[in-house]
Amino acid sequence: MSFMNASELVMLSNLLDSRQPHHGLARQFYHDESLYQVEMEAIWRQGWLFAGHSCQIPNPGNYFLYDMEGDSIIIIRGDDGQVTALYNVCRHRGMVICQQQEGSVRRFVCPYHQWTYDHSGRLLLQNGMQESLDKSQLSLHPAKVREVEGMIFISLAKEPVEFDPVEAAFAPVAKPQGFSRAKVAKIMDYDIESNWKLVWENNRECYHCNVNHPQYIKANFDHYNADDTIPRVAERLKAVTSRLEAKLAAQGMALRAETGMTEFPDPEHGMWYAANRTPNEQGYVSETMDGKQVAPLMGDYTDPEVGTLRIRSLPNFWIHASCDHSVAVRLTPNGLSHTHIRMIWLVDGKAVEGRDYDLNTLLTFWQLTAEQDWKICSSQQRGVNSHAYTPGPLSSFKEYNLERFLRWYIQEMKAYLGK
Amino acid sequence: MSFMNASELVMLSNLLDSRQPHHGLARQFYHDESLYQVEMEAIWRQGWLFAGHSCQIPNPGNYFLYDMEGDSIIIIRGDDGQVTALYNVCRHRGMVICQQQEGSVRRFVCPYHQWTYDHSGRLLLQNGMQESLDKSQLSLHPAKVREVEGMIFISLAKEPVEFDPVEAAFAPVAKPQGFSRAKVAKIMDYDIESNWKLVWENNRECYHCNVNHPQYIKANFDHYNADDTIPRVAERLKAVTSRLEAKLAAQGMALRAETGMTEFPDPEHGMWYAANRTPNEQGYVSETMDGKQVAPLMGDYTDPEVGTLRIRSLPNFWIHASCDHSVAVRLTPNGLSHTHIRMIWLVDGKAVEGRDYDLNTLLTFWQLTAEQDWKICSSQQRGVNSHAYTPGPLSSFKEYNLERFLRWYIQEMKAYLGK
Amino acid sequence: MSFMNASELVMLSNLLDSRQPHHGLARQFYHDESLYQVEMEAIWRQGWLFAGHSCQIPNPGNYFLYDMEGDSIIIIRGDDGQVTALYNVCRHRGMVICQQQEGSVRRFVCPYHQWTYDHSGRLLLQNGMQESLDKSQLSLHPAKVREVEGMIFISLAKEPVEFDPVEAAFAPVAKPQGFSRAKVAKIMDYDIESNWKLVWENNRECYHCNVNHPQYIKANFDHYNADDTIPRVAERLKAVTSRLEAKLAAQGMALRAETGMTEFPDPEHGMWYAANRTPNEQGYVSETMDGKQVAPLMGDYTDPEVGTLRIRSLPNFWIHASCDHSVAVRLTPNGLSHTHIRMIWLVDGKAVEGRDYDLNTLLTFWQLTAEQDWKICSSQQRGVNSHAYTPGPLSSFKEYNLERFLRWYIQEMKAYLGK
């Protein structure tokens, strides 16, 4: 933490302690450059980050880059089919090796002096150098990587927290979706003027949905109060839930107990990741404008009524998957008040655009809903920048997950400072 | 002053003390980021700022925003006709409430979760929140505001200096101009690459006018020396002054003693504001290209010969008002080396564009003159950035008001540090 | 060094000490803002900087500006034919005096208040100021300047290192090229996203040439190993060297002993400057696409076979001059990770574009070669920004001059801190 001196660390520690429960964060959390640098170390360089989908790199030699706060990581499928993550930095003079955002390579050849590495990062050739050099000490620096049911996660930490429990939670729920046999229908990239936490705060409540997401609320129950739903809604929810349970059972799947308005995260129990199925509103088999299926069934599904598969992991990932398509959201901080957001739409690997699905029809629902949120987050950033901004109270009915997110955030920051 | 540690404060204090009288300011004053932050607190968040004209918000519910260094202030006319100033930040999650720069609202409804406030900032509705919340504690944060003869001033200070003497000085002189019954003919916004002080330094002397303002000097006497005018000019000035006194008397107004080349500011006597009438050159009844009237008479005027009404207040406002139109200039710092400048042209409220005035004819004189200055200030900023820049001597004949401005600035900064 | 406190100075000193010989520099050298500020003082405001060619200002009153890190320097030829360097900042209020990048003036007249200076910077007129001012104390601040055989060097240091040895080294080698009788064929300006040191590191080795500079390696021997050349190449080099020696002797010039793969710089012997002639490949009389002459012979040359005249001085200059044209490269830091680069193509003063040379044919070779390097440097900057970047080993055969450059850099920085 060379970017903070002792008195700054005390100030940061006091700031973390001063957070008032059930209220937002103070202005400094969105405004202080050195606090942001601590976040990068405490959270973003410690945790597991969703990088992309396995189906983006189906064959040996296929790679894509994930650029994270000044670092460029190569995610490549090796000859043995395993995925490897390598820093995109030559061990000779620090040159960026892969200049394209994605592609396919037999070997990595640095464009500066042609040092050549294999798919695992091992240095093969360094023509022009003295013989005495020990090539084994000059492999590309690796990052940690895990592939689970078609989702690739990396960690920049030397010793990240264990990933096995995440895999255990994600794999059985995600498996029927068939992510690994899917194909990319569309990738959209956004750079929004908002601190990354505001994007999560927005994601962790549907209090704002009624007015801001006219499309989304037709398909979902999230905007109703957690523990105070009116009888008519409770009945409707009960009906779709029973129906979904039956449908899933017929396809060999189970609806897990916590289905519905999932509480997430659960920092006191170390739950920074979760996967579940959520019932849609009556008449909606897919998160689309009219609720109708817009592409062929994915994965193992034999019936479109599978609800929505939702997976999330902090600090950078969530996905909504319907029977026929999925939409992943990947966040990456890009400075104190900017966040890069990538959205990835997948469909079944055999689906053909124009024949099996119309791209616009596929995109509209989530493109609209997401862009409504990106606009909110950008406006909110300008508001919390104000000297007059003070943290307000959170709704106990509708913002309990936001409160959980903030608890998780404070807990992670304190844990790091305590080290 | 959390942005400065103890040793930085000592350095700043020494820097303020080191200013050589009758010379410009040293390079650091235009170049040091933390000094700029102190200025924001010592001057801009302490003083009274011109926000705009009353006629921009004639009716209840009309509002406009004034964005000042990260803060957005809503200036709104309430149902009782009074003007209120509120921070444009929801008390719930810090969202920007008014997204448009101006408009009309029945109530303020936050676009994020629809918290609803009345024109005075009182929280009316917060659907979705627990009943236990005390709404009376969640009004929009207010700023201080005063309306005087059609000019609106705000202060972001908790306890600003008293405004009554300002009103006493401005009201009688400004009243006949009828600002409150006027209408906006044009608003122009500039963002220039210059520290805000350089803009004032430019404003406080007319040594530069001869060559740089060929239009302005035809209409005005400012470019002549204060105490060393040649007999021919002194005679001409005496003639127009007597003539103006007679004309004003006939309209029930008096030309105040200090009329002419006014000395402003007067920091030793606490005068950071001033209002007076200044005679124009012979044949000029309006600050226009040919000196002719270009729009109907404003306010109470019955004769075009009223000279120029000039009002100024530090740190952000001056206005030149002829018989037929007025041009306000509002400065707002936008970082160390940028200043946002708004110019507002007013004409009589009943005047109709195209019938009673031609917009281009109305704008030309001050648009030319102002843009000549903005260009100078931007060039000067590049010059004072140089390592070779050293403060030079000021002219005792022509830059005495610049010297007064610098004394005022140093005085305000020291007063703040002394607290 | 007000921008560094005591503990930062210790950290910097340790950083300089920690450099591992025969390896690149650590990440901080390309990433730390305050280290960059020290470099500006220790190297850029101490050393001699190539500003431009004499033939850009052939006549009295001709001037051009050199903008260096916030400072603007006027390089002007005076009435006595001597070149003077003056800071482009009025002694009155700090205004930029010359607004155009180049031009011709009888006197310098500040556009703000018309203070007027002669070509030597002496204040002549200051109308509007009190008589008591001592004009002799208000000359434009001067910079040091030296003109040698058509090349102009300046220094912003109060007491720069002596320039006489540089002149002694450059003049005899450069004289026959006739730079002072030349004319500008083209100036190209680049702003590349790269720290200035990376540009030098690239310049100081030709290990990267084989793949990156297909045009350059046809004309030159640089890409072969310094001390390990295969017999076929050694033979070819020997042949062109003997041939060049004979040709030069016939023109009254000598090929100096160190001709060939010059070792530069030589920090242990204070050599931050060097000039020599290098033989071209067989069949190349000019650094052009096909090796043929593309413009009339320059200067005193009577035979096109003069090899390539190469001159370099740290921290900002190198030139390649063939028999018929020369290409100067001038570097200027523009922040931590940007470098402004000016390239100047000269031809003989009597040559007429379209008649004696085709501009595109003249430019292609070096424009291609240079832009290949600018692209490399920009990519490398992104790589060394990575948290995973660690300095790698340098080639003892091919990067010995890079190693010398880094030693020079560390030596200069330490010398400054030691003061």
Side-chain angles (χ1 to χ4, degrees):
Chain A
M1 286 181 290
S2 62
F3 35 84
M4 284 207 145
N5 60 34
S7 76
E8 285 173 325
L9 280 173
V10 170
M11 282 169 62
L12 174 57
S13 187
N14 290 343
L15 180 65
L16 293 169
D17 286 339
S18 71
R19 194 226 152 192
Q20 193 182 352
H22 308 291
H23 284 71
L25 297 178
R27 178 173 184 257
Q28 293 99 304
F29 285 96
Y30 308 105
H31 208 77
D32 189 285
E33 184 60 37
S34 52
L35 177 136
Y36 173 77
Q37 296 300 335
V38 174
E39 289 179 358
M40 291 306 99
E41 295 304 314
I43 292 176
W44 289 85
R45 296 186 180 285
Q46 291 297 317
W48 286 93
L49 309 177
F50 174 75
H53 279 296
S54 304
C55 63
Q56 296 176 254
I57 45 170
N59 302 312
N62 293 172
Y63 79 89
F64 65 89
L65 302 183
Y66 181 22
D67 292 336
M68 212 300 273
E69 261 285 307
D71 287 333
S72 174
I73 313 293
I74 306 168
I75 319 289
I76 185 165
R77 189 168 303 279
D79 301 320
D80 57 358
Q82 294 300 303
V83 174
T84 306
L86 302 165
Y87 282 89
N88 189 14
V89 179
C90 184
R91 291 298 304 278
H92 175 214
R93 297 262 297 279
M95 185 69 172
V96 166
I97 292 176
C98 294
Q99 307 268 327
Q100 305 299 321
Q101 281 296 307
E102 55 182 47
S104 191
V105 290
R106 260 192 59 235
R107 290 167 171 191
F108 297 113
V109 181
C110 177
Y112 207 164
H113 305 91
Q114 292 72 54
W115 283 31
T116 301
Y117 305 85
D118 72 11
H119 290 164
S120 70
R122 201 155 44 100
L123 180 58
L124 301 175
L125 291 171
Q126 49 178 18
N127 290 334
M129 297 297 290
Q130 45 275 35
E131 288 300 315
S132 60
L133 278 192
D134 181 358
K135 285 211 288 276
S136 71
Q137 298 302 308
L138 293 165
S139 298
L140 293 179
H141 290 296
K144 299 284 189 285
V145 65
R146 290 293 288 268
E147 184 180 6
V148 48
E149 288 298 334
M151 296 171 286
I152 299 168
F153 294 84
I154 65 169
S155 177
L156 308 184
K158 285 262 181 297
E159 295 180 17
V161 295
E162 58 175 349
F163 192 79
D164 289 348
V166 186
E167 177 159 10
F170 287 3
V173 191
K175 189 172 188 305
Q177 190 74 32
F179 288 130
S180 57
R181 290 166 282 154
K183 73 165 208 185
V184 174
K186 184 75 176 177
I187 290 179
M188 288 196 187
D189 288 304
Y190 298 88
D191 188 71
I192 70 168
E193 288 191 52
S194 174
N195 182 275
W196 68 274
K197 297 187 294 296
L198 292 180
V199 184
W200 268 112
E201 294 176 35
N202 170 273
N203 173 271
R204 289 293 77 216
E205 51 91 356
C206 217
Y207 183 4
H208 69 278
C209 294
N210 266 322
V211 169
N212 288 286
H213 296 314
Q215 296 82 21
Y216 183 83
I217 59 171
K218 285 189 189 160
N220 286 285
F221 286 89
D222 309 33
H223 55 121
Y224 297 115
N225 279 352
D227 54 359
D228 184 32
T229 308
I230 55 173
R232 188 170 52 84
V233 174
E235 213 164 280
R236 222 156 72 215
L237 182 53
K238 197 176 152 200
V240 296
T241 304
S242 326
R243 187 180 169 95
L244 181 58
E245 276 174 334
K247 289 282 190 175
L248 289 177
Q251 298 178 72
M253 295 183 277
L255 191 56
R256 302 199 311 171
E258 71 269 39
T259 297
M261 307 302 108
T262 316
E263 298 191 342
F264 176 80
D266 188 352
E268 288 75 16
H269 298 89
M271 299 305 283
W272 48 271
Y273 54 87
N276 70 288
R277 287 187 184 275
T278 301
N280 294 331
E281 265 279 13
Q282 289 174 5
Y284 277 74
V285 299
S286 184
E287 288 185 323
T288 58
M289 297 301 280
D290 59 5
K292 297 209 177 71
Q293 191 177 333
V294 292
L297 291 180
M298 289 180 74
D300 302 333
Y301 299 144
T302 55
D303 186 315
E305 292 196 43
V306 295
T308 316
L309 166 64
R310 301 181 182 188
I311 307 176
R312 333 153 181 85
S313 70
L314 289 164
N316 90 325
F317 173 59
W318 66 82
I319 196 166
H320 273 235
S322 292
C323 64
D324 54 348
H325 75 287
S326 69
V327 188
V329 176
R330 183 188 78 178
L331 309 184
T332 314
N334 186 21
L336 185 55
S337 55
H338 284 78
T339 302
H340 179 269
I341 304 178
R342 166 164 284 194
M343 296 179 70
I344 308 172
W345 278 261
L346 297 187
V347 293
D348 185 70
K350 292 183 296 293
V352 176
E353 187 186 334
R355 187 190 71 187
D356 299 317
Y357 66 95
D358 173 66
L359 188 60
N360 276 335
T361 307
L362 179 76
L363 301 178
T364 308
F365 182 93
W366 271 112
Q367 187 180 352
L368 279 174
T369 301
E371 291 177 6
Q372 288 152 0
D373 282 332
W374 309 161
K375 193 181 161 198
I376 286 171
C377 294
S378 303
S379 280
Q380 192 186 3
Q381 177 70 43
R382 290 187 292 124
V384 298
N385 276 346
S386 174
H387 291 77
Y389 163 68
T390 46
L394 301 179
S395 168
S396 54
F397 310 125
K398 293 172 172 291
E399 298 178 302
Y400 48 88
N401 274 340
L402 195 168
E403 162 69 16
R404 287 166 172 273
F405 167 73
L406 297 180
R407 285 208 310 271
W408 168 82
Y409 167 80
I410 297 286
Q411 175 181 289
E412 295 297 305
M413 291 289 276
K414 284 188 178 176
Y416 182 73
L417 292 189
K419 276 178 192 172
Chain B
M1 286 180 291
S2 61
F3 35 81
M4 282 209 147
N5 61 35
S7 74
E8 284 172 325
L9 281 173
V10 169
M11 281 169 64
L12 174 56
S13 186
N14 291 342
L15 180 64
L16 293 169
D17 286 338
S18 71
R19 195 228 153 194
Q20 192 181 355
H22 308 291
H23 284 70
L25 298 177
R27 179 173 184 255
Q28 293 98 308
F29 286 95
Y30 309 105
H31 207 78
D32 188 287
E33 184 60 38
S34 52
L35 177 137
Y36 173 78
Q37 296 300 335
V38 174
E39 289 179 359
M40 291 305 101
E41 294 304 315
I43 291 174
W44 289 85
R45 296 187 180 284
Q46 291 297 317
W48 287 93
L49 308 178
F50 174 75
H53 280 295
S54 304
C55 63
Q56 295 177 254
I57 47 171
N59 302 310
N62 293 171
Y63 79 89
F64 67 89
L65 303 182
Y66 182 23
D67 292 336
M68 211 302 274
E69 259 286 306
D71 287 335
S72 174
I73 313 292
I74 307 168
I75 319 287
I76 186 164
R77 189 169 302 280
D79 300 322
D80 57 358
Q82 294 300 301
V83 174
T84 305
L86 302 164
Y87 282 88
N88 189 15
V89 179
C90 184
R91 291 298 305 276
H92 176 214
R93 298 262 296 279
M95 184 69 171
V96 166
I97 293 176
C98 293
Q99 307 267 328
Q100 305 299 321
Q101 281 296 306
E102 55 183 46
S104 191
V105 291
R106 261 193 59 238
R107 291 169 170 188
F108 297 112
V109 182
C110 178
Y112 206 163
H113 306 91
Q114 292 70 52
W115 283 32
T116 301
Y117 305 85
D118 71 13
H119 290 163
S120 70
R122 201 154 45 97
L123 180 59
L124 300 175
L125 291 170
Q126 49 176 18
N127 289 336
M129 297 297 292
Q130 44 277 33
E131 289 299 316
S132 60
L133 278 191
D134 181 358
K135 284 210 287 277
S136 73
Q137 299 302 306
L138 292 165
S139 299
L140 293 180
H141 290 297
K144 299 286 188 284
V145 66
R146 290 293 288 267
E147 184 181 6
V148 49
E149 288 297 337
M151 297 171 285
I152 299 168
F153 294 84
I154 64 169
S155 178
L156 307 184
K158 286 262 182 297
E159 297 178 16
V161 295
E162 59 176 348
F163 191 79
D164 290 347
V166 186
E167 179 158 8
F170 287 3
V173 190
K175 190 171 187 305
Q177 189 75 34
F179 287 131
S180 58
R181 291 166 281 153
K183 74 166 208 186
V184 173
K186 183 73 175 180
I187 290 179
M188 287 197 190
D189 289 305
Y190 298 88
D191 189 72
I192 69 168
E193 286 190 56
S194 174
N195 182 275
W196 67 274
K197 296 188 294 299
L198 293 181
V199 184
W200 268 113
E201 295 176 35
N202 171 271
N203 174 270
R204 289 292 79 216
E205 50 92 354
C206 216
Y207 182 6
H208 70 280
C209 294
N210 265 323
V211 168
N212 289 286
H213 297 315
Q215 296 81 24
Y216 183 83
I217 59 169
K218 285 189 191 162
N220 286 285
F221 286 89
D222 309 34
H223 54 123
Y224 295 114
N225 279 354
D227 54 359
D228 183 33
T229 309
I230 55 172
R232 188 169 52 84
V233 174
E235 212 165 282
R236 224 157 69 214
L237 182 54
K238 197 178 151 198
V240 295
T241 304
S242 324
R243 189 181 167 95
L244 180 58
E245 276 175 338
K247 290 279 187 175
L248 289 178
Q251 297 180 72
M253 295 183 276
L255 190 57
R256 303 198 313 171
E258 71 270 36
T259 299
M261 306 302 108
T262 315
E263 299 191 341
F264 176 83
D266 187 353
E268 288 75 16
H269 298 90
M271 299 305 284
W272 48 272
Y273 54 89
N276 70 289
R277 285 186 186 277
T278 301
N280 294 331
E281 265 278 16
Q282 289 174 5
Y284 276 75
V285 299
S286 182
E287 289 185 323
T288 58
M289 297 300 281
D290 58 5
K292 298 211 176 74
Q293 191 178 332
V294 293
L297 292 179
M298 291 182 71
D300 303 333
Y301 299 143
T302 55
D303 186 314
E305 292 196 42
V306 294
T308 316
L309 166 65
R310 299 181 182 188
I311 306 175
R312 331 155 180 84
S313 70
L314 289 164
N316 91 326
F317 173 58
W318 66 82
I319 196 166
H320 273 235
S322 293
C323 63
D324 54 349
H325 75 288
S326 69
V327 189
V329 176
R330 184 188 77 179
L331 308 184
T332 315
N334 186 20
L336 184 57
S337 55
H338 284 78
T339 302
H340 179 268
I341 303 178
R342 167 163 285 196
M343 296 178 71
I344 308 174
W345 279 260
L346 298 187
V347 293
D348 185 68
K350 294 184 293 297
V352 175
E353 188 185 335
R355 187 190 71 185
D356 298 319
Y357 64 95
D358 173 66
L359 188 59
N360 275 336
T361 308
L362 179 76
L363 300 178
T364 308
F365 182 94
W366 271 113
Q367 188 180 350
L368 280 174
T369 302
E371 292 177 4
Q372 288 153 0
D373 281 332
W374 309 161
K375 193 183 161 197
I376 286 171
C377 295
S378 303
S379 280
Q380 193 186 3
Q381 178 70 42
R382 288 188 292 122
V384 299
N385 276 347
S386 173
H387 291 77
Y389 163 67
T390 46
L394 301 180
S395 169
S396 52
F397 309 124
K398 291 170 173 291
E399 298 179 303
Y400 49 89
N401 274 338
L402 195 170
E403 162 69 16
R404 287 164 172 275
F405 167 73
L406 297 180
R407 285 208 309 270
W408 168 83
Y409 167 80
I410 297 285
Q411 175 180 287
E412 295 297 304
M413 292 288 277
K414 284 188 178 178
Y416 182 74
L417 292 191
K419 278 179 189 171
Chain C
M1 283 180 293
S2 64
F3 35 82
M4 284 209 143
N5 60 34
S7 75
E8 283 171 325
L9 282 173
V10 169
M11 281 168 64
L12 174 56
S13 185
N14 290 342
L15 180 64
L16 293 169
D17 285 339
S18 71
R19 194 226 153 192
Q20 193 181 354
H22 307 291
H23 284 69
L25 297 177
R27 180 174 183 255
Q28 293 100 303
F29 285 95
Y30 308 105
H31 207 77
D32 187 286
E33 184 60 38
S34 52
L35 177 136
Y36 173 77
Q37 296 300 336
V38 174
E39 289 179 357
M40 291 304 101
E41 295 304 315
I43 292 175
W44 289 84
R45 296 187 180 284
Q46 292 297 317
W48 287 93
L49 308 177
F50 173 74
H53 280 296
S54 303
C55 61
Q56 294 177 256
I57 45 171
N59 301 311
N62 292 172
Y63 79 88
F64 66 88
L65 303 182
Y66 181 23
D67 292 335
M68 210 304 272
E69 259 285 309
D71 287 333
S72 174
I73 312 292
I74 306 168
I75 318 288
I76 185 166
R77 189 169 303 279
D79 299 322
D80 58 356
Q82 293 300 303
V83 173
T84 305
L86 302 165
Y87 282 89
N88 189 12
V89 178
C90 185
R91 290 297 305 275
H92 176 215
R93 299 259 299 277
M95 184 70 172
V96 166
I97 292 177
C98 294
Q99 307 267 325
Q100 305 300 320
Q101 282 296 306
E102 55 183 45
S104 191
V105 290
R106 259 193 61 236
R107 291 169 170 189
F108 296 113
V109 182
C110 177
Y112 206 163
H113 305 91
Q114 291 71 53
W115 284 29
T116 301
Y117 305 85
D118 70 11
H119 290 163
S120 70
R122 201 156 43 100
L123 181 58
L124 300 175
L125 291 170
Q126 48 177 16
N127 290 335
M129 298 297 291
Q130 46 276 31
E131 289 299 316
S132 60
L133 278 192
D134 181 359
K135 286 209 287 278
S136 72
Q137 298 302 307
L138 293 165
S139 299
L140 294 179
H141 290 297
K144 298 286 187 286
V145 65
R146 290 293 290 267
E147 185 180 4
V148 47
E149 289 297 334
M151 298 173 283
I152 299 169
F153 295 83
I154 65 169
S155 177
L156 307 182
K158 286 261 181 298
E159 297 179 16
V161 294
E162 56 175 351
F163 192 79
D164 289 348
V166 185
E167 179 159 5
F170 287 4
V173 190
K175 190 169 187 307
Q177 189 76 32
F179 287 131
S180 56
R181 290 167 280 154
K183 74 165 209 184
V184 173
K186 183 75 175 179
I187 290 180
M188 288 198 187
D189 288 305
Y190 298 88
D191 189 71
I192 70 168
E193 289 190 53
S194 174
N195 182 274
W196 67 274
K197 298 188 293 297
L198 293 180
V199 184
W200 269 112
E201 295 176 34
N202 170 271
N203 172 271
R204 290 292 77 216
E205 51 92 353
C206 215
Y207 182 6
H208 69 279
C209 294
N210 265 324
V211 169
N212 288 285
H213 297 314
Q215 296 81 21
Y216 183 85
I217 59 169
K218 284 188 190 161
N220 286 286
F221 286 90
D222 308 34
H223 56 122
Y224 297 114
N225 279 353
D227 55 357
D228 184 33
T229 309
I230 55 172
R232 188 171 51 85
V233 173
E235 212 165 284
R236 223 157 69 215
L237 182 54
K238 196 178 152 201
V240 294
T241 303
S242 325
R243 188 180 168 96
L244 180 58
E245 277 175 337
K247 290 280 187 176
L248 289 178
Q251 297 179 72
M253 295 182 276
L255 189 58
R256 303 199 314 170
E258 72 269 37
T259 299
M261 308 301 111
T262 316
E263 299 192 341
F264 175 82
D266 186 352
E268 288 75 15
H269 299 88
M271 298 307 282
W272 48 270
Y273 54 90
N276 70 288
R277 287 187 183 276
T278 301
N280 294 331
E281 265 278 14
Q282 290 175 3
Y284 277 74
V285 297
S286 183
E287 289 186 322
T288 58
M289 298 299 281
D290 59 5
K292 299 211 175 73
Q293 191 177 332
V294 292
L297 291 181
M298 289 181 75
D300 303 332
Y301 298 144
T302 55
D303 185 313
E305 291 196 44
V306 294
T308 316
L309 166 65
R310 301 183 182 186
I311 307 176
R312 334 156 177 83
S313 70
L314 289 164
N316 91 325
F317 173 61
W318 67 79
I319 197 167
H320 273 235
S322 292
C323 63
D324 54 349
H325 75 288
S326 69
V327 189
V329 175
R330 185 188 77 180
L331 307 184
T332 315
N334 186 20
L336 186 56
S337 55
H338 284 78
T339 302
H340 178 269
I341 303 179
R342 166 163 283 195
M343 295 178 72
I344 308 173
W345 279 259
L346 298 187
V347 293
D348 184 69
K350 293 182 294 296
V352 175
E353 187 186 335
R355 187 190 72 186
D356 298 319
Y357 64 95
D358 173 66
L359 189 59
N360 275 336
T361 308
L362 180 76
L363 301 177
T364 308
F365 182 93
W366 271 112
Q367 187 180 351
L368 280 174
T369 301
E371 292 177 6
Q372 287 152 359
D373 282 331
W374 310 161
K375 192 181 162 199
I376 285 171
C377 293
S378 303
S379 280
Q380 192 186 3
Q381 177 70 44
R382 291 189 289 124
V384 297
N385 277 345
S386 174
H387 291 77
Y389 163 68
T390 45
L394 301 179
S395 169
S396 53
F397 311 124
K398 291 171 174 290
E399 298 178 303
Y400 49 89
N401 275 338
L402 196 169
E403 162 69 15
R404 286 164 172 273
F405 167 73
L406 298 179
R407 285 208 311 270
W408 167 82
Y409 166 79
I410 297 286
Q411 175 181 289
E412 295 296 305
M413 292 288 278
K414 284 187 177 177
Y416 182 74
L417 292 190
K419 279 181 189 171

